[in-house]
Amino acid sequence: MKVSIAESRFDVNPVGNTCLVIDVLRATSVMAVLLEHGVKQIYLADSIESARDLKANLLLPEEVLMIGERNSLPPDDFDGGNSPLAFLRQSENMQLPSTVIMATTNGTPTLLSCVGAELIMPIAPVNLDATVQRAIREQNDIVIVCSGWEGAPAEDDFLAAALVIDVLEASGAILSDSASDVKSRYASQYENPISLSAALAKTEHGQRLLKNNFEEDIEYCAQINLINVTGHLETDINGHSLIVSD
């Protein structure tokens, strides 16, 4: 089992591989929280407009939560944004709907770009081991796909990718040169959640979140193995892509 890295959604070759998609700040962290707290399916939209169209056309009998962000903040007509802590707190007061539609700047388009892979899973430090162990069971080569920022590589996802690479290597995986390089570049910055949080906050994406008062989200997204739940991408009978709980 070989591990390689795609620096953005435009670099991924999904065919025959397992794709582990990272958007540590914050989409894949949010997905882990949603799946842990009763959400069964997360429909993926590649834009705010696509999410609106999807909600209008899904025709599901139950309540649907439409969430996401543009420039880190939720659009006015959405039911929620892209904050893991906001959904964690919401789940303490009410049962989250079983169905969510999600559109983010980076994470959801990147997951959709991997369609055609043998297995596609969102991954974050908060559900690291659960996701890695599920991926290893498939015995495919693994591509760690960084969501980046608007299609360009971003350091926050490299930081999280290095952590994933470390765990995969410890499980016996063989690293490509690119994966080994990412691990060696960032190893000192993910030794514990405090160092990872500080490193994430210094990235360009981290600075955007700090300007919008999401410091606590960064701290949460740096926590490791808080959640023992994971999910994978499926396609429904109408061709819509969604993340379902394993």
Side-chain angles (χ1 to χ4, degrees):
M1 182 176 61
K2 188 173 182 179
V3 177
S4 59
I5 189 161
E7 294 188 355
S8 78
R9 63 180 179 267
F10 297 117
D11 300 318
V12 63
N13 177 18
V15 178
N17 296 314
T18 290
C19 288
L20 299 181
V21 176
I22 297 173
D23 184 1
V24 61
L25 298 178
R26 298 164 287 167
T28 56
S29 302
V30 168
M31 291 175 187
V33 169
L34 294 175
L35 294 172
E36 185 188 36
H37 291 279
V39 173
K40 302 300 182 188
Q41 48 190 15
I42 306 168
Y43 280 86
L44 304 176
D46 61 4
S47 68
I48 298 300
E49 294 72 23
S50 295
R52 292 174 179 137
D53 291 342
L54 193 55
K55 186 173 184 180
N57 293 306
L58 271 179
L59 302 177
L60 294 172
E62 67 268 17
E63 178 188 359
V64 176
L65 198 68
M66 186 166 65
I67 68 171
E69 53 77 29
R70 178 174 280 159
N71 299 321
S72 302
L73 300 173
D76 290 342
D77 60 333
F78 273 41
D79 303 307
N82 191 37
S83 166
L85 284 178
F87 293 112
L88 191 61
R89 290 162 182 154
Q90 187 175 344
S91 71
E92 294 171 354
N93 299 315
M94 59 175 284
Q95 176 66 46
L96 295 176
S98 63
T99 301
V100 168
I101 297 170
M102 187 174 188
T104 66
T105 304
N106 306 299
T108 58
T110 303
L111 282 157
L112 291 168
S113 76
C114 295
V115 169
E118 292 294 314
L119 177 66
I120 304 166
M121 304 180 74
I123 188 169
V126 292
N127 68 342
L128 175 65
D129 281 354
T131 308
V132 165
Q133 293 309 311
R134 169 74 167 86
I136 287 172
R137 288 201 300 271
E138 298 300 313
Q139 289 298 302
N140 303 316
D141 286 343
I142 294 174
V143 181
I144 300 170
V145 186
C146 297
S147 294
W149 178 261
E150 295 185 342
E155 194 169 31
D156 55 303
D157 288 333
F158 286 146
L159 283 161
L163 180 60
V164 177
I165 291 165
D166 194 24
V167 173
L168 285 166
E169 185 180 36
S171 299
I174 300 169
L175 304 188
S176 69
D177 290 344
S178 60
S180 182
D181 177 61
V182 167
K183 179 192 168 187
S184 63
R185 271 191 286 156
Y186 295 100
S188 65
Q189 300 184 63
Y190 62 80
E191 293 173 348
N192 56 67
I194 294 174
S195 61
L196 180 57
S197 177
L200 289 171
K202 292 176 182 176
T203 65
E204 186 175 353
H205 197 171
Q207 290 295 302
R208 289 189 198 96
L209 293 177
L210 289 175
K211 289 178 182 177
N212 286 295
N213 300 312
F214 288 118
E215 180 179 358
E216 289 185 345
D217 271 2
I218 296 173
E219 293 171 356
Y220 181 83
C221 292
Q223 301 300 308
I224 299 170
N225 293 325
L226 291 180
I227 294 172
N228 194 35
V229 174
T230 189
H232 66 277
L233 188 145
E234 290 188 355
T235 303
D236 72 7
I237 59 173
N238 297 309
H240 300 306
S241 295
L242 63 156
I243 300 297
V244 299
S245 179
D246 276 333

